[in-house]
Amino acid sequence: MKLVCRVMEVSRSGYYHYLKAMPSLKKQKEARLLVEIKALAAESQNSYGKRMMAKHLHAKGYQVGVYAARTLMSKAGIECK
């Protein structure tokens, strides 16, 4: 790491600060999924459970299983009626 920092002419602490400040790909994907889940919940008037949510997300091209849909719904504060 020392060599890379020297070549790029940045301090090691600056490099690690930069890495920490960048949102990870996983967090970016999760943020997009939360937006989609909130839109689907509003569209269905909160009538979709975890299975239907996963099915509709899969139809939109997201690779989300039932348990991941449940977790995302929980994070978004969405409950099925």
Side-chain angles (χ1 to χ4, degrees), residues 40-79:
L40 283 170
E43 182 181 306
S44 70
Q45 299 171 352
N46 290 340
S47 65
Y48 287 170
K50 61 185 177 191
R51 288 184 178 87
M52 286 298 290
M53 192 67 74
K55 182 178 178 180
H56 280 81
L57 287 172
H58 189 71
K60 288 188 173 208
Y62 294 102
Q63 296 295 327
V64 176
V66 175
Y67 298 115
R70 177 185 66 189
T71 302
L72 289 167
M73 288 174 69
S74 175
K75 285 183 180 181
I78 296 170
E79 293 182 8

